[in-house]
Amino acid sequence: MNGQPCEHIAAIETVTPPRAHVCEECVKIGASWVHLRTCQTCGVTLCCDSSPNRHASGHARSTSHPVIASAERDERWLYCYPDAAFAEY
């Protein structure tokens, strides 16, 4: 993308942090996760695609919420599902 983030990532003014360091959907069903991602539209924290249930990407597809932020403690990046764009912050 020529070093420029997509319009969805560019629209993020303040990164929403996770409310808790858990996948909110995995907790409901007693499942485990690998890494966590926080939706930048609604603030839900869900598991990544390396996790068995892939809740974050499923949420993005079902809601059209485009951007997630890593909810991992030492990571500072955003990802846009529709544009497959990545940006550190």
Side-chain angles (χ1 to χ4, degrees):
M1 298 205 60
N2 300 329
Q4 298 298 316
C6 73
E7 65 184 46
H8 301 109
I9 289 175
I12 304 294
E13 294 180 9
T14 302
V15 175
T16 301
R19 293 183 279 255
H21 200 75
V22 298
C23 172
E24 296 178 30
E25 291 300 318
C26 284
V27 167
K28 291 177 186 175
I29 61 173
S32 61
W33 58 85
V34 178
H35 300 291
L36 298 169
R37 312 295 182 229
T38 301
C39 176
Q40 295 302 292
T41 301
C42 69
V44 67
T45 297
L46 301 166
C47 59
C48 71
D49 281 356
S50 295
S51 301
N53 291 296
R54 301 177 179 176
H55 285 123
S57 61
H59 173 79
R61 282 190 304 277
S62 68
T63 62
S64 297
H65 293 172
V67 179
I68 56 161
S70 174
E72 296 301 310
R73 290 178 176 95
D74 296 327
E75 296 179 354
R76 295 177 53 86
W77 54 262
L78 300 165
Y79 180 77
C80 175
Y81 285 104
D83 297 329
F86 173 89
E88 293 182 312
Y89 65 92

